Amino acid sequence: MNNLKLAGHFKFPAVLIALLTVLSCPAIAQYSWDQIDYRANLYELRESEIRRGDNIDESNRQLMEEIRNYKPSTNGRAEGVTYEQALKIVQMTNQNDVTGNRSHSKYDPNGIRGFCFGRALYAHLELLRHGVDAQAIKKVFIVGPMKNGVDWQFHVTTVVRAKDKNGWYAVDTFTGRPMLLEEWFSRFTGYSTDKKLRMYVTRPAKIGPSSWEYNTKPGGLFDPFYNSYFKDMFEMFRKTRVSSSEKFVQRCSQLFL
């Protein structure tokens, strides 16, 4: 369902360089998501765990507990979102001209790209634009064979710390509404064909399970394979501002100058 062609080093148009370099500073590797390198191959990592005889269910349970108990430290930005704010991000992802439902025929006419990774990237950047602290945003990958009408090998969503619940919201258009991470993961375990679906939490700038961080080098986000999907997304960001009243924290300084 999702076919990625990404490689290279972090390099972006100027409007996004400032956003991501300021807000996505490297963290000390004390949590599992900080220990996973951007360039780690999650397919290979899962296979090595299976070969070792690891208890996949227990590994998922421990990871779920770790992120549920994680309290990000923020610096005057929003430490999380309410359900209504998370729903706004899902709706924005569904309704814009690039990641929305209307765009499928333009960017993915043959249905071979999937673009769950593109929607997750959009949600990540939109949360930042709305004033959410970088430490309160992660990516969650689920890796393993799944079947739901079609066969696919992974799915990814952006998750954001919940302010009105104890946990994290998955802002995923696949489910149509924000879900707490536990509910979201349970939904996808039902699609697993080998019952060894593995969940990984990573820093938010990892784009795919076997690909690197956001980049625009050859084979990266601006590759012709994506039919200008990411170029058009960044242009859309450039043209649209988030007003102070729209941000999830009023003290947030303006990100797009």
Side-chain angles (χ1 to χ4, degrees):
M1 176 178 277
N2 296 286
N3 189 343
L4 292 180
K5 291 177 58 183
L6 293 167
H9 186 65
F10 180 72
K11 184 179 180 183
F12 257 116
V15 72
L16 293 176
I17 290 176
L19 177 65
L20 288 171
T21 54
V22 169
L23 299 178
S24 300
C25 299
I28 299 173
Q30 56 181 320
Y31 300 101
S32 60
W33 43 86
D34 296 322
Q35 296 168 8
I36 294 180
D37 188 86
Y38 278 127
R39 302 177 184 188
N41 187 318
L42 302 183
Y43 295 124
E44 293 178 355
L45 185 56
R46 174 182 177 270
E47 288 302 316
S48 67
E49 293 173 353
I50 292 174
R51 285 195 302 269
R52 285 198 308 264
D54 291 3
N55 185 324
I56 299 298
D57 289 339
E58 178 61 15
S59 296
N60 289 333
R61 187 199 66 77
Q62 291 179 3
L63 179 58
M64 195 76 73
E65 182 177 1
E66 180 185 15
I67 191 169
R68 186 190 305 116
N69 294 330
Y70 170 66
K71 301 296 190 292
S73 59
T74 60
N75 186 26
R77 295 175 61 83
E79 62 185 17
V81 301
T82 64
Y83 177 87
E84 289 73 20
Q85 290 169 336
L87 179 61
K88 177 181 179 180
I89 298 299
V90 173
Q91 291 171 338
M92 293 179 70
T93 308
N94 255 333
Q95 295 169 6
N96 72 70
D97 291 336
V98 178
T99 63
N101 292 328
R102 300 184 303 272
S103 69
H104 293 172
S105 60
K106 177 179 180 180
Y107 298 108
D108 195 15
N110 301 317
I112 61 174
R113 297 163 184 84
F115 280 124
C116 67
F117 53 94
R119 293 185 291 275
L121 184 155
Y122 172 86
H124 170 209
L125 298 185
E126 202 63 84
L127 286 164
L128 290 175
R129 294 214 307 162
H130 278 75
V132 178
D133 192 271
Q135 296 303 313
I137 308 169
K138 307 296 176 193
K139 288 274 181 67
V140 173
F141 291 85
I142 48 176
V143 180
M146 292 175 280
K147 188 176 184 66
N148 179 33
V150 296
D151 298 319
W152 82 105
Q153 300 300 314
F154 88 96
H155 187 61
V156 59
T157 187
T158 291
V159 298
V160 57
R161 181 76 188 173
K163 287 202 304 186
D164 51 1
K165 298 283 186 180
N166 180 26
W168 294 67
Y169 286 123
V171 285
D172 187 0
T173 59
F174 186 95
T175 56
R177 62 177 175 85
M179 287 184 174
L180 287 175
L181 183 55
E182 294 86 346
E183 180 186 5
W184 178 87
F185 182 63
S186 178
R187 169 83 172 267
F188 283 91
T189 57
Y191 304 140
S192 175
T193 59
D194 68 356
K195 305 307 177 185
K196 296 179 180 179
L197 194 64
R198 183 67 163 99
M199 182 179 78
Y200 296 101
V201 179
T202 73
R203 289 170 290 167
K206 183 170 174 60
I207 182 68
S210 59
S211 51
W212 296 0
E213 66 270 40
Y214 302 162
N215 71 89
T216 57
K217 283 185 174 291
L221 297 177
F222 289 176
D223 191 273
F225 178 77
Y226 298 118
N227 294 325
S228 297
Y229 182 95
F230 295 102
K231 286 183 179 179
D232 291 348
M233 182 191 298
F234 299 150
E235 181 65 13
M236 178 176 63
F237 280 136
R238 190 185 68 81
K239 290 180 177 180
T240 59
R241 306 289 182 98
V242 178
S243 67
S244 297
S245 62
E246 292 175 305
K247 291 177 180 178
F248 299 155
V249 57
Q250 296 303 308
R251 295 186 305 276
C252 177
S253 59
Q254 186 174 353
L255 299 176
F256 286 70
L257 303 178

